[in-house]
Amino acid sequence: MLAIIGGSGLTQLAGLQDLKPQQVETPYGAPSGPIVQGTFAGQRVLFLARHGQAHSIAPHEINYRANLWALHASGVREIVAVATVGGISSRMQAGVLLVPDQLIDYTWGRDSTYAQGPGQAVRHIDFTWPYSAALRQRLLTAAQTLNEPVIDGGTYAATQGPRLETAAEIRRLARDGADVVGMTGMPEAALARELDVAYATLGVVANAAAGQGESAQHISMQDIEAVVAQAMQRVGRILKHVVQA
Ligand code: HPA
């Protein structure tokens, strides 16, 4: 079964019907909220709001292990993660959608593996290509069919948050080769891989990253909200197509 993890601007999935929310306990504690089972474009899917249904859980406080475990335990084998990001490279303008193909992890202090604690078997997952090629392709094909422009590829830098970055930090991420920056891409992607769940991200560029373009002096949360609200309608159309494919 396919699950959608919704981020900022997607705490509820418009068009998800016959909702059956389930509280799932895991060995790692409680997920961000109920795992919501429903029908989306005629298909059974699960939905989880990453920041909680009231958008009250900050990126560094999300229980990623519980979230991924709960989805996997509910039968999920594919996850499309929707994530808002800041744009670093020039083609990543506000409002652009992308399906990244690489990531760099700058987060710290997060529980980022299930191989933790006594008696746990150590497993070194292959993470050369952190996103599922097949699921990425399904997202891209769906967008193409709908004539929705989506950038194929890009490197996602995962920062700790919850604050936004400094201009110098963004210049450093650019030198590192990052195209976009977000706060939740890790450890989500790695935990999915540990559980053998196919995982791909549909990124929504919400703003120019700090110090870039219109964010030269500051980043306006109001502008971000307007861009994201508009982009989520396109995201919804693409997701409907993906679940039917
Ligand atoms: N930085 C980090 N995360 C983000 C940003 C940003 O500029 N925009 C949306 N999520």
Side-chain angles (χ1 to χ4, degrees):
M1 190 163 24
L2 183 137
I4 295 163
I5 299 182
S8 300
L10 194 68
T11 48
Q12 285 181 333
L13 188 61
L16 188 64
Q17 294 168 334
D18 313 320
L19 308 187
K20 288 195 202 85
Q22 280 184 324
Q23 308 288 346
V24 181
E25 266 306 312
T26 80
Y28 305 94
S32 295
I35 306 293
V36 181
Q37 195 190 110
T39 312
F40 187 60
Q43 305 294 318
R44 221 160 62 92
V45 302
L46 297 183
F47 178 79
L48 174 64
R50 185 189 282 121
H51 298 278
Q53 287 185 316
H55 200 276
S56 54
I57 310 172
H60 63 295
E61 288 182 327
I62 291 168
N63 190 339
Y64 295 94
R65 291 199 299 182
N67 285 356
L68 276 288
W69 192 272
L71 290 171
H72 182 257
S74 305
V76 167
R77 296 299 175 263
E78 295 176 313
I79 294 176
V80 173
V82 179
T84 59
V85 294
I88 299 177
S89 53
S90 57
R91 59 191 182 138
M92 300 298 180
Q93 300 287 322
V96 159
L97 304 183
L98 75 144
V99 180
D101 63 351
Q102 274 298 329
L103 64 80
I104 306 176
D105 187 10
Y106 300 91
T107 67
W108 48 270
R110 301 182 180 187
D111 287 325
S112 56
T113 175
Y114 294 108
Q116 202 163 297
Q120 294 296 319
V122 178
R123 191 171 156 223
H124 300 286
I125 51 163
D126 172 37
F127 209 43
T128 312
W129 292 98
Y131 301 105
S132 156
L135 198 49
R136 286 189 69 254
Q137 196 49 56
R138 269 171 60 195
L139 281 165
L140 292 166
T141 304
Q144 230 166 25
T145 311
L146 295 168
N147 252 329
E148 282 293 353
V150 172
I151 293 181
D152 176 359
T155 296
Y156 175 113
T159 54
Q160 179 69 0
R163 66 169 177 82
L164 293 164
E165 298 72 32
T166 67
E169 284 171 337
I170 293 300
R171 288 199 299 273
R172 172 192 170 207
L173 298 187
R175 285 195 300 275
D176 284 357
D179 296 294
V180 294
V181 55
M183 301 175 189
T184 56
M186 282 295 282
E188 206 169 82
L191 292 168
R193 183 63 57 84
E194 285 194 4
L195 295 171
D196 289 322
V197 170
Y199 178 96
T201 291
L202 180 55
V204 178
V205 181
N207 56 283
Q212 312 279 104
E214 68 266 29
S215 302
Q217 296 307 322
H218 76 287
I219 292 176
S220 149
M221 290 316 289
Q222 256 176 347
D223 290 355
I224 288 189
E225 279 163 27
V227 170
V228 170
Q230 216 257 339
M232 283 307 162
Q233 301 183 8
R234 285 182 284 143
V235 166
R237 282 200 289 277
I238 294 171
L239 292 178
K240 278 189 183 150
H241 219 276
V242 166
V243 302
Q244 287 173 324

